[in-house]
């Protein structure tokens, strides 16, 4: 965590998501996608209805930014594809 805090200043935006395995099964990937978009863009009104929509939003809204996204406890490839 202290390493994250130290290097996060070098990026345009950053997001640290813990316990992906647990949170994705309880709340869904859409909510985690919203957290990434909010964490990086700092826009409060980011609503993701479907995982595919979230993938598109992450790809197009973050593509030209220098961002740091840390995903903790990813255990499935679809989680990584939806969030990175």
């Amino acid at each position: 965590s202290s390493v994250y805090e130290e290097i996060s200043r070098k990026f345009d935006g950053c997001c640290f998501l813990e316990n992906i395995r647990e949170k994705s099964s309880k709340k869904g990937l859409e909510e985690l996608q919203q957290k990434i978009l909010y964490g990086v863009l700092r826009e409060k009104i980011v609503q993701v209805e479907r995982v595919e929509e979230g993938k598109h939003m992450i790809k197009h809204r973050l593509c030209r930014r220098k961002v740091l996204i840390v995903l903790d406890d990813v255990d499935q490839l679809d989680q990584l594809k939806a969030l990175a």
Side-chain angles (χ1 to χ4, degrees):
S1 178
S2 63
V3 173
Y4 173 81
E5 294 296 326
E6 186 176 319
I7 65 172
S8 65
R9 295 180 194 110
K10 298 176 183 179
F11 294 86
D12 298 331
C14 56
C15 182
F16 186 98
L17 290 178
E18 299 176 298
N19 305 318
I20 300 295
R21 178 176 30 155
E22 179 184 338
K23 290 179 180 176
S24 67
S25 66
K26 288 182 179 179
K27 298 180 180 184
L29 290 169
E30 297 88 352
E31 184 171 313
L32 296 173
Q33 290 172 325
Q34 287 176 192
K35 286 185 179 196
I36 289 173
L37 289 164
Y38 172 73
V40 173
L41 301 172
R42 294 291 178 208
E43 295 176 5
K44 291 185 179 184
I45 303 172
V46 177
Q47 188 67 28
V48 177
E49 299 294 328
R50 298 177 342 272
V51 172
E52 289 302 316
E53 176 189 19
K55 285 182 186 180
H56 178 77
M57 290 173 75
I58 289 170
K59 179 179 178 181
H60 291 283
R61 295 179 83 183
L62 306 183
C63 70
R64 290 193 166 62
R65 297 175 185 256
K66 183 178 175 184
V67 299
L68 173 64
I69 299 173
V70 178
L71 305 173
D72 173 57
D73 196 26
V74 173
D75 70 339
Q76 295 178 13
L77 184 57
D78 66 321
Q79 294 166 339
L80 186 59
K81 287 181 177 181
L83 302 172

Coordinates of all heavy atoms in Angstrom, one line a residue:
S1 N 0.8 -1.2 0.0 CA 0.0 0.0 0.0 C 0.9 1.3 0.0 O 0.5 2.2 -0.7 CB -0.9 0.0 1.2 OG -1.7 1.1 1.2
S2 N 1.9 1.3 0.8 CA 2.8 2.5 0.8 C 3.5 2.7 -0.6 O 3.7 3.8 -1.0 CB 3.8 2.4 1.9 OG 4.7 1.3 1.7
V3 N 3.9 1.6 -1.2 CA 4.4 1.7 -2.6 C 3.4 2.3 -3.5 O 3.8 3.1 -4.4 CB 4.9 0.3 -3.1 CG1 5.4 0.4 -4.5 CG2 6.0 -0.3 -2.2
Y4 N 2.2 1.8 -3.5 CA 1.1 2.4 -4.3 C 1.0 3.9 -4.1 O 0.9 4.6 -5.0 CB -0.2 1.7 -4.0 CG -1.4 2.3 -4.7 CD1 -1.7 1.9 -6.0 CD2 -2.2 3.1 -4.0 CE1 -2.8 2.5 -6.6 CE2 -3.3 3.7 -4.6 CZ -3.6 3.4 -6.0 OH -4.7 3.9 -6.6
E5 N 0.9 4.3 -2.8 CA 0.8 5.7 -2.5 C 2.0 6.5 -3.1 O 1.8 7.6 -3.6 CB 0.7 5.9 -1.0 CG -0.5 5.4 -0.4 CD -1.8 6.0 -0.9 OE1 -1.8 7.2 -1.2 OE2 -2.8 5.3 -1.0
E6 N 3.2 5.9 -3.0 CA 4.4 6.6 -3.5 C 4.4 6.8 -5.0 O 4.7 7.9 -5.5 CB 5.6 5.8 -3.0 CG 6.9 6.5 -3.3 CD 8.1 5.8 -2.8 OE1 8.0 5.3 -1.7 OE2 9.1 5.7 -3.5
I7 N 4.1 5.7 -5.7 CA 4.1 5.8 -7.2 C 2.9 6.4 -7.9 O 2.9 6.8 -9.0 CB 4.5 4.5 -7.8 CG1 3.4 3.4 -7.6 CG2 5.9 4.0 -7.4 CD1 3.7 2.2 -8.4
S8 N 1.8 6.4 -7.2 CA 0.5 6.8 -7.8 C 0.6 8.3 -8.2 O -0.1 8.7 -9.1 CB -0.7 6.6 -6.8 OG -0.5 7.4 -5.7
R9 N 1.4 9.1 -7.6 CA 1.5 10.5 -7.9 C 2.1 10.7 -9.3 O 1.9 11.8 -9.9 CB 2.4 11.2 -6.9 CG 1.9 11.2 -5.5 CD 2.8 11.9 -4.5 NE 2.4 11.6 -3.2 CZ 3.1 10.9 -2.3 NH1 4.3 10.3 -2.7 NH2 2.7 10.7 -1.1
K10 N 2.7 9.7 -9.9 CA 3.3 9.8 -11.2 C 2.3 9.6 -12.3 O 2.7 9.6 -13.5 CB 4.5 8.9 -11.3 CG 5.6 9.1 -10.3 CD 6.7 8.1 -10.4 CE 7.7 8.3 -9.3 NZ 8.8 7.3 -9.3
F11 N 1.1 9.3 -12.0 CA 0.0 9.0 -13.0 C -1.1 10.0 -13.0 O -1.3 10.7 -12.1 CB -0.6 7.6 -12.6 CG 0.4 6.5 -12.8 CD1 1.3 6.1 -11.7 CD2 0.6 5.8 -13.9 CE1 2.2 5.1 -11.8 CE2 1.5 4.8 -14.1 CZ 2.3 4.4 -13.0
D12 N -1.7 10.1 -14.2 CA -2.9 11.0 -14.4 C -4.0 10.6 -13.5 O -4.8 11.4 -13.1 CB -3.3 11.0 -15.8 CG -2.3 11.5 -16.8 OD1 -1.4 12.3 -16.4 OD2 -2.3 11.0 -17.9
G13 N -4.2 9.3 -13.2 CA -5.2 8.8 -12.4 C -4.9 7.4 -11.9 O -4.0 6.7 -12.5
C14 N -5.5 7.0 -10.8 CA -5.1 5.7 -10.2 C -6.3 5.1 -9.5 O -7.2 5.8 -9.0 CB -3.9 5.8 -9.3 SG -4.1 7.0 -8.0
C15 N -6.3 3.8 -9.3 CA -7.3 3.1 -8.6 C -6.8 1.8 -8.1 O -6.0 1.1 -8.7 CB -8.5 2.8 -9.6 SG -9.9 2.0 -8.8
F16 N -7.1 1.5 -6.8 CA -6.6 0.3 -6.2 C -7.9 -0.5 -5.7 O -8.7 0.0 -4.9 CB -5.8 0.6 -4.9 CG -5.2 -0.6 -4.3 CD1 -3.9 -1.0 -4.5 CD2 -5.9 -1.4 -3.4 CE1 -3.3 -2.1 -3.9 CE2 -5.4 -2.5 -2.8 CZ -4.1 -2.9 -3.0
L17 N -8.1 -1.6 -6.3 CA -9.3 -2.5 -6.0 C -8.9 -3.7 -5.3 O -8.1 -4.5 -5.8 CB -10.1 -2.8 -7.3 CG -10.8 -1.7 -8.0 CD1 -11.5 -2.2 -9.3 CD2 -11.8 -1.1 -7.1
E18 N -9.4 -3.9 -4.1 CA -9.1 -5.1 -3.3 C -10.1 -6.2 -3.5 O -11.3 -5.9 -3.8 CB -9.0 -4.7 -1.8 CG -8.0 -3.6 -1.5 CD -8.1 -3.3 0.0 OE1 -9.1 -2.7 0.4 OE2 -7.1 -3.5 0.7
N19 N -9.7 -7.4 -3.2 CA -10.6 -8.5 -3.1 C -11.6 -8.7 -4.3 O -12.8 -8.8 -4.2 CB -11.5 -8.5 -1.8 CG -10.6 -8.4 -0.6 OD1 -9.6 -9.0 -0.5 ND2 -11.0 -7.5 0.3
I20 N -11.0 -8.6 -5.5 CA -11.8 -8.7 -6.7 C -12.6 -10.0 -6.8 O -13.8 -9.9 -7.1 CB -10.9 -8.7 -8.0 CG1 -10.1 -7.4 -8.0 CG2 -11.7 -8.9 -9.3 CD1 -10.9 -6.2 -8.2
R21 N -12.1 -11.1 -6.4 CA -12.8 -12.4 -6.4 C -14.1 -12.3 -5.6 O -15.2 -12.6 -6.1 CB -11.9 -13.5 -5.9 CG -12.6 -14.8 -5.8 CD -11.7 -15.9 -5.4 NE -10.7 -15.5 -4.4 CZ -10.1 -16.2 -3.6 NH1 -10.4 -17.5 -3.5 NH2 -9.1 -15.8 -2.8
E22 N -14.0 -11.8 -4.4 CA -15.1 -11.7 -3.5 C -16.1 -10.6 -3.9 O -17.3 -10.9 -4.0 CB -14.7 -11.4 -2.1 CG -15.8 -11.2 -1.1 CD -15.2 -10.8 0.3 OE1 -14.1 -11.0 0.6 OE2 -16.0 -10.2 1.1
K23 N -15.6 -9.5 -4.3 CA -16.5 -8.4 -4.6 C -17.2 -8.6 -6.0 O -18.4 -8.2 -6.1 CB -15.7 -7.0 -4.7 CG -15.3 -6.6 -3.3 CD -14.5 -5.3 -3.3 CE -14.2 -4.9 -1.9 NZ -13.3 -3.7 -1.9
S24 N -16.6 -9.2 -6.9 CA -17.2 -9.5 -8.2 C -18.3 -10.5 -8.1 O -19.3 -10.4 -8.8 CB -16.2 -9.9 -9.3 OG -15.7 -11.2 -9.0
S25 N -18.2 -11.4 -7.2 CA -19.3 -12.4 -7.0 C -20.4 -11.8 -6.2 O -21.6 -12.2 -6.4 CB -18.7 -13.7 -6.3 OG -18.4 -13.4 -5.0
K26 N -20.2 -10.9 -5.3 CA -21.2 -10.3 -4.5 C -21.9 -9.1 -5.2 O -23.1 -8.9 -5.2 CB -20.7 -9.8 -3.2 CG -20.4 -10.9 -2.2 CD -19.9 -10.3 -0.9 CE -19.6 -11.4 0.1 NZ -19.1 -10.9 1.4
K27 N -21.1 -8.2 -5.8 CA -21.6 -7.0 -6.4 C -21.6 -6.9 -7.9 O -22.3 -6.0 -8.5 CB -20.8 -5.8 -5.8 CG -20.9 -5.7 -4.3 CD -20.1 -4.5 -3.8 CE -20.3 -4.4 -2.3 NZ -19.6 -3.3 -1.7
G28 N -20.9 -7.8 -8.5 CA -20.8 -7.8 -10.0 C -19.7 -6.9 -10.5 O -19.2 -6.0 -9.8
L29 N -19.2 -7.3 -11.7 CA -18.1 -6.6 -12.3 C -18.5 -5.1 -12.7 O -17.6 -4.3 -12.8 CB -17.7 -7.3 -13.6 CG -17.0 -8.7 -13.3 CD1 -16.8 -9.5 -14.6 CD2 -15.6 -8.4 -12.6
E30 N -19.8 -4.9 -13.0 CA -20.2 -3.5 -13.3 C -19.8 -2.5 -12.3 O -19.4 -1.4 -12.6 CB -21.7 -3.5 -13.6 CG -22.1 -4.3 -14.8 CD -22.5 -5.8 -14.4 OE1 -22.2 -6.2 -13.3 OE2 -23.0 -6.5 -15.3
E31 N -20.1 -2.9 -11.0 CA -19.8 -1.9 -9.9 C -18.3 -1.7 -9.8 O -17.8 -0.6 -9.5 CB -20.3 -2.5 -8.6 CG -20.1 -1.5 -7.5 CD -20.8 -1.9 -6.2 OE1 -22.0 -2.2 -6.2 OE2 -20.1 -1.8 -5.1
L32 N -17.5 -2.8 -10.0 CA -16.0 -2.6 -10.0 C -15.5 -1.7 -11.2 O -14.6 -0.9 -11.0 CB -15.3 -4.0 -10.0 CG -15.6 -4.8 -8.8 CD1 -15.0 -6.2 -9.0 CD2 -15.1 -4.2 -7.5
Q33 N -16.2 -1.9 -12.3 CA -15.8 -1.0 -13.5 C -16.1 0.5 -13.1 O -15.4 1.3 -13.5 CB -16.6 -1.5 -14.7 CG -16.1 -2.8 -15.3 CD -17.0 -3.3 -16.4 OE1 -18.2 -3.1 -16.3 NE2 -16.4 -4.0 -17.3
Q34 N -17.3 0.7 -12.5 CA -17.6 2.0 -12.1 C -16.6 2.6 -11.1 O -16.2 3.8 -11.2 CB -19.0 2.1 -11.4 CG -20.1 1.9 -12.3 CD -21.5 1.8 -11.6 OE1 -22.4 1.4 -12.2 NE2 -21.6 2.1 -10.3
K35 N -16.1 1.8 -10.2 CA -15.1 2.2 -9.2 C -13.8 2.6 -9.9 O -13.1 3.6 -9.6 CB -14.8 1.2 -8.2 CG -16.0 1.1 -7.2 CD -15.7 0.1 -6.1 CE -16.8 0.1 -5.1 NZ -16.5 -0.5 -3.9
I36 N -13.4 1.9 -11.0 CA -12.2 2.2 -11.7 C -12.4 3.5 -12.4 O -11.5 4.4 -12.3 CB -11.9 1.1 -12.8 CG1 -11.3 -0.2 -12.0 CG2 -10.8 1.6 -13.8 CD1 -11.1 -1.4 -12.9
L37 N -13.5 3.7 -13.1 CA -13.8 5.0 -13.8 C -13.8 6.1 -12.9 O -13.2 7.2 -13.1 CB -15.0 4.8 -14.6 CG -14.9 3.9 -15.8 CD1 -16.3 3.6 -16.4 CD2 -14.1 4.6 -16.9
Y38 N -14.4 6.0 -11.7 CA -14.5 7.0 -10.7 C -13.1 7.3 -10.2 O -12.7 8.5 -10.0 CB -15.5 6.7 -9.6 CG -15.4 7.8 -8.5 CD1 -15.9 9.0 -8.7 CD2 -14.7 7.5 -7.3 CE1 -15.8 10.0 -7.7 CE2 -14.5 8.5 -6.3 CZ -15.1 9.7 -6.5 OH -14.9 10.7 -5.6
G39 N -12.4 6.2 -9.8 CA -11.0 6.4 -9.3 C -10.1 7.1 -10.2 O -9.3 8.0 -9.7
V40 N -10.1 6.9 -11.4 CA -9.2 7.5 -12.4 C -9.7 8.8 -12.8 O -9.0 9.8 -12.9 CB -9.0 6.5 -13.6 CG1 -8.2 7.2 -14.7 CG2 -8.3 5.3 -13.2
L41 N -11.0 9.0 -13.2 CA -11.5 10.2 -13.8 C -12.0 11.2 -12.7 O -12.2 12.3 -13.0 CB -12.6 9.9 -14.8 CG -12.2 9.0 -15.9 CD1 -13.5 8.6 -16.7 CD2 -11.2 9.7 -16.8
R42 N -12.4 10.7 -11.5 CA -13.0 11.5 -10.5 C -14.3 12.1 -10.9 O -14.7 13.2 -10.5 CB -12.0 12.6 -10.0 CG -10.8 12.0 -9.3 CD -11.2 11.4 -8.0 NE -10.0 10.8 -7.4 CZ -10.0 9.8 -6.6 NH1 -11.1 9.2 -6.3 NH2 -8.9 9.4 -6.1
E43 N -15.1 11.3 -11.7 CA -16.4 11.8 -12.1 C -17.4 10.9 -11.3 O -17.4 9.7 -11.3 CB -16.6 11.5 -13.6 CG -15.8 12.4 -14.4 CD -16.0 12.0 -15.9 OE1 -16.9 11.2 -16.2 OE2 -15.2 12.6 -16.7
K44 N -18.2 11.6 -10.5 CA -19.2 10.8 -9.6 C -20.3 10.1 -10.4 O -20.7 9.1 -10.0 CB -19.8 11.8 -8.6 CG -18.7 12.2 -7.6 CD -19.4 13.0 -6.5 CE -18.3 13.4 -5.5 NZ -18.8 14.1 -4.4
I45 N -20.7 10.7 -11.5 CA -21.8 10.1 -12.3 C -21.3 9.2 -13.4 O -21.1 9.7 -14.5 CB -22.7 11.2 -12.8 CG1 -23.2 12.1 -11.7 CG2 -23.9 10.6 -13.6 CD1 -24.0 13.4 -12.2
V46 N -20.9 8.0 -13.0 CA -20.5 7.0 -14.0 C -21.4 5.8 -13.7 O -21.2 5.1 -12.7 CB -19.0 6.7 -13.8 CG1 -18.6 5.6 -14.8 CG2 -18.2 7.9 -14.1
Q47 N -22.3 5.5 -14.6 CA -23.2 4.4 -14.4 C -22.9 3.4 -15.5 O -23.0 3.6 -16.7 CB -24.7 4.9 -14.6 CG -25.7 3.8 -14.2 CD -25.7 3.5 -12.8 OE1 -25.3 4.3 -11.9 NE2 -26.1 2.3 -12.4
V48 N -22.6 2.1 -15.1 CA -22.3 1.0 -16.0 C -23.5 0.0 -15.8 O -23.7 -0.5 -14.7 CB -21.0 0.4 -15.7 CG1 -20.7 -0.8 -16.6 CG2 -19.8 1.4 -15.8
E49 N -24.2 -0.2 -16.9 CA -25.3 -1.2 -16.8 C -24.9 -2.6 -17.2 O -25.5 -3.5 -16.6 CB -26.4 -0.7 -17.8 CG -27.0 0.7 -17.5 CD -27.7 0.7 -16.2 OE1 -28.4 -0.3 -15.8 OE2 -27.7 1.8 -15.5
R50 N -24.0 -2.8 -18.1 CA -23.5 -4.1 -18.5 C -22.0 -4.2 -18.6 O -21.4 -3.1 -18.8 CB -24.1 -4.4 -20.0 CG -25.6 -4.4 -20.1 CD -26.1 -4.6 -21.5 NE -25.2 -4.4 -22.6 CZ -25.0 -3.2 -23.2 NH1 -25.7 -2.1 -22.8 NH2 -24.2 -3.1 -24.2
V51 N -21.5 -5.3 -18.4 CA -20.0 -5.5 -18.4 C -19.4 -5.0 -19.7 O -18.4 -4.3 -19.8 CB -19.6 -7.0 -18.1 CG1 -18.1 -7.2 -18.3 CG2 -20.0 -7.4 -16.7
E52 N -20.0 -5.4 -20.9 CA -19.5 -4.9 -22.2 C -19.5 -3.4 -22.3 O -18.5 -2.9 -22.9 CB -20.3 -5.6 -23.3 CG -20.1 -7.0 -23.5 CD -18.6 -7.4 -23.7 OE1 -18.0 -6.8 -24.5 OE2 -18.2 -8.4 -23.1
E53 N -20.5 -2.8 -21.8 CA -20.5 -1.3 -21.8 C -19.3 -0.8 -20.9 O -18.7 0.2 -21.3 CB -21.8 -0.8 -21.2 CG -21.9 0.7 -21.1 CD -23.2 1.1 -20.3 OE1 -23.8 0.3 -19.6 OE2 -23.5 2.3 -20.4
G54 N -19.1 -1.4 -19.8 CA -18.0 -1.0 -18.9 C -16.7 -1.1 -19.6 O -15.8 -0.3 -19.5
K55 N -16.5 -2.2 -20.3 CA -15.2 -2.5 -21.0 C -15.0 -1.4 -22.0 O -13.9 -0.8 -22.2 CB -15.3 -3.8 -21.8 CG -15.1 -5.0 -20.9 CD -15.1 -6.2 -21.9 CE -15.1 -7.5 -21.1 NZ -15.2 -8.7 -22.1
H56 N -16.0 -1.0 -22.8 CA -16.0 0.0 -23.8 C -15.6 1.4 -23.1 O -14.8 2.1 -23.6 CB -17.3 0.1 -24.5 CG -17.3 1.2 -25.6 ND1 -16.7 1.0 -26.8 CD2 -17.9 2.4 -25.6 CE1 -16.9 2.1 -27.5 NE2 -17.6 3.0 -26.8
M57 N -16.3 1.7 -22.0 CA -16.0 3.0 -21.4 C -14.6 3.0 -20.8 O -13.9 4.1 -21.0 CB -17.0 3.1 -20.2 CG -18.4 3.4 -20.6 SD -19.6 3.4 -19.3 CE -19.2 5.0 -18.6
I58 N -14.1 2.0 -20.2 CA -12.7 2.0 -19.7 C -11.7 2.1 -20.9 O -10.8 2.9 -20.8 CB -12.4 0.7 -18.9 CG1 -13.2 0.7 -17.6 CG2 -11.0 0.5 -18.7 CD1 -13.2 -0.6 -16.8
K59 N -11.9 1.4 -21.9 CA -11.0 1.4 -23.1 C -11.0 2.8 -23.7 O -9.9 3.4 -23.9 CB -11.5 0.4 -24.1 CG -10.6 0.4 -25.4 CD -11.0 -0.6 -26.3 CE -10.2 -0.6 -27.6 NZ -10.6 -1.6 -28.6
H60 N -12.1 3.4 -23.9 CA -12.2 4.7 -24.7 C -11.9 5.9 -23.8 O -11.4 6.9 -24.3 CB -13.5 4.8 -25.4 CG -13.6 3.9 -26.6 ND1 -12.9 4.1 -27.7 CD2 -14.2 2.7 -26.7 CE1 -13.1 3.1 -28.6 NE2 -13.9 2.2 -27.9
R61 N -12.3 5.9 -22.5 CA -12.1 7.0 -21.7 C -10.7 7.1 -21.0 O -10.3 8.2 -20.6 CB -13.2 7.1 -20.6 CG -14.6 7.3 -21.3 CD -15.7 7.4 -20.4 NE -15.8 8.7 -19.9 CZ -16.6 9.1 -18.9 NH1 -17.5 8.2 -18.4 NH2 -16.7 10.3 -18.5
L62 N -10.0 5.9 -21.0 CA -8.7 5.9 -20.3 C -7.6 5.7 -21.3 O -6.4 5.6 -20.9 CB -8.7 4.8 -19.2 CG -9.8 4.9 -18.2 CD1 -9.6 3.8 -17.2 CD2 -9.9 6.2 -17.5
C63 N -7.9 5.5 -22.6 CA -6.8 5.0 -23.5 C -5.6 6.0 -23.7 O -4.6 5.5 -23.9 CB -7.5 4.7 -24.9 SG -8.0 6.2 -25.8
R64 N -5.8 7.3 -23.5 CA -4.7 8.2 -23.8 C -4.2 8.8 -22.4 O -3.5 9.8 -22.5 CB -5.1 9.3 -24.7 CG -5.2 8.7 -26.1 CD -5.3 9.8 -27.2 NE -5.1 9.3 -28.5 CZ -5.9 8.4 -29.2 NH1 -6.9 7.9 -28.5 NH2 -5.7 8.1 -30.4
R65 N -4.5 8.2 -21.4 CA -4.1 8.6 -20.1 C -3.0 7.7 -19.5 O -3.1 6.5 -19.7 CB -5.3 8.7 -19.1 CG -6.3 9.7 -19.5 CD -7.5 9.6 -18.5 NE -8.6 10.4 -19.0 CZ -8.9 11.6 -18.4 NH1 -8.2 12.0 -17.4 NH2 -9.9 12.3 -18.8
K66 N -2.2 8.2 -18.7 CA -1.2 7.4 -17.9 C -1.9 7.0 -16.6 O -2.1 7.9 -15.7 CB 0.1 8.2 -17.7 CG 1.1 7.4 -17.0 CD 2.4 8.3 -16.9 CE 3.4 7.6 -16.1 NZ 4.6 8.4 -15.9
V67 N -2.3 5.8 -16.5 CA -3.1 5.4 -15.3 C -2.4 4.2 -14.6 O -1.7 3.4 -15.2 CB -4.5 5.0 -15.6 CG1 -5.3 6.2 -16.2 CG2 -4.6 3.9 -16.6
L68 N -2.7 4.1 -13.3 CA -2.2 3.0 -12.5 C -3.5 2.3 -11.9 O -4.2 2.9 -11.2 CB -1.3 3.5 -11.4 CG -0.9 2.4 -10.3 CD1 -0.1 1.3 -11.0 CD2 -0.2 3.1 -9.2
I69 N -3.7 1.1 -12.3 CA -4.8 0.3 -11.8 C -4.3 -1.0 -11.2 O -3.6 -1.8 -11.8 CB -5.8 0.0 -12.9 CG1 -6.4 1.2 -13.5 CG2 -7.0 -0.9 -12.3 CD1 -7.3 1.0 -14.7
V70 N -4.5 -1.1 -9.9 CA -4.0 -2.3 -9.2 C -5.2 -3.2 -8.8 O -6.2 -2.7 -8.2 CB -3.3 -2.0 -7.9 CG1 -2.8 -3.2 -7.1 CG2 -2.0 -1.1 -8.2
L71 N -5.2 -4.4 -9.3 CA -6.3 -5.3 -9.0 C -5.8 -6.5 -8.1 O -5.0 -7.2 -8.5 CB -6.8 -5.9 -10.4 CG -7.2 -4.9 -11.4 CD1 -7.5 -5.6 -12.7 CD2 -8.4 -4.1 -11.0
D72 N -6.4 -6.5 -6.9 CA -6.0 -7.5 -5.9 C -6.9 -8.7 -6.0 O -8.1 -8.6 -6.0 CB -6.1 -6.9 -4.5 CG -5.8 -7.8 -3.4 OD1 -4.8 -8.5 -3.4 OD2 -6.7 -8.0 -2.6
D73 N -6.3 -9.9 -6.0 CA -7.1 -11.2 -5.8 C -8.0 -11.5 -7.0 O -9.1 -11.9 -6.9 CB -7.9 -11.2 -4.5 CG -8.3 -12.6 -4.2 OD1 -7.6 -13.6 -4.6 OD2 -9.3 -12.8 -3.5
V74 N -7.4 -11.3 -8.2 CA -8.1 -11.7 -9.4 C -7.9 -13.2 -9.6 O -6.8 -13.7 -9.6 CB -7.6 -11.0 -10.7 CG1 -8.2 -11.5 -12.0 CG2 -7.8 -9.5 -10.5
D75 N -9.0 -14.0 -9.8 CA -8.9 -15.4 -9.9 C -9.5 -15.9 -11.2 O -9.5 -17.1 -11.5 CB -9.4 -16.1 -8.7 CG -10.9 -16.1 -8.6 OD1 -11.5 -15.1 -9.2 OD2 -11.5 -16.9 -7.9
Q76 N -10.0 -15.1 -12.1 CA -10.6 -15.5 -13.3 C -10.2 -14.5 -14.5 O -10.2 -13.3 -14.2 CB -12.1 -15.6 -13.2 CG -12.6 -16.6 -12.3 CD -14.1 -16.6 -12.2 OE1 -14.8 -16.0 -13.0 NE2 -14.6 -17.3 -11.1
L77 N -10.0 -15.1 -15.6 CA -9.5 -14.3 -16.8 C -10.6 -13.2 -17.2 O -10.3 -12.1 -17.5 CB -9.2 -15.2 -18.0 CG -8.7 -14.5 -19.2 CD1 -7.4 -13.7 -18.9 CD2 -8.4 -15.5 -20.3
D78 N -11.9 -13.6 -17.0 CA -12.9 -12.6 -17.4 C -13.0 -11.4 -16.5 O -13.3 -10.3 -16.9 CB -14.3 -13.3 -17.4 CG -14.8 -13.8 -16.1 OD1 -14.0 -14.3 -15.3 OD2 -16.0 -13.6 -15.8
Q79 N -12.5 -11.6 -15.3 CA -12.4 -10.4 -14.3 C -11.4 -9.5 -14.9 O -11.6 -8.3 -14.9 CB -12.0 -10.9 -12.9 CG -13.1 -11.7 -12.3 CD -12.6 -12.4 -11.0 OE1 -11.4 -12.6 -10.9 NE2 -13.5 -12.8 -10.2
L80 N -10.2 -10.0 -15.2 CA -9.1 -9.2 -15.8 C -9.5 -8.5 -17.1 O -9.3 -7.3 -17.2 CB -7.9 -10.1 -16.0 CG -6.6 -9.3 -16.4 CD1 -6.2 -8.3 -15.3 CD2 -5.5 -10.3 -16.6
K81 N -10.2 -9.2 -17.9 CA -10.6 -8.6 -19.2 C -11.6 -7.5 -19.0 O -11.7 -6.6 -19.8 CB -11.2 -9.7 -20.1 CG -10.1 -10.6 -20.7 CD -10.7 -11.6 -21.6 CE -9.7 -12.5 -22.3 NZ -10.3 -13.5 -23.2
A82 N -12.5 -7.6 -18.0 CA -13.5 -6.6 -17.8 C -13.0 -5.4 -17.1 O -13.5 -4.3 -17.2 CB -14.6 -7.2 -16.9
L83 N -11.8 -5.5 -16.3 CA -11.4 -4.5 -15.5 C -10.1 -3.8 -16.0 O -9.7 -2.7 -15.5 CB -11.2 -4.9 -14.1 CG -12.4 -5.5 -13.4 CD1 -12.1 -6.2 -12.1 CD2 -13.5 -4.5 -13.2
A84 N -9.4 -4.4 -16.9 CA -8.1 -3.9 -17.4 C -8.1 -3.6 -18.9 O -8.9 -4.2 -19.6 CB -7.0 -4.8 -17.0

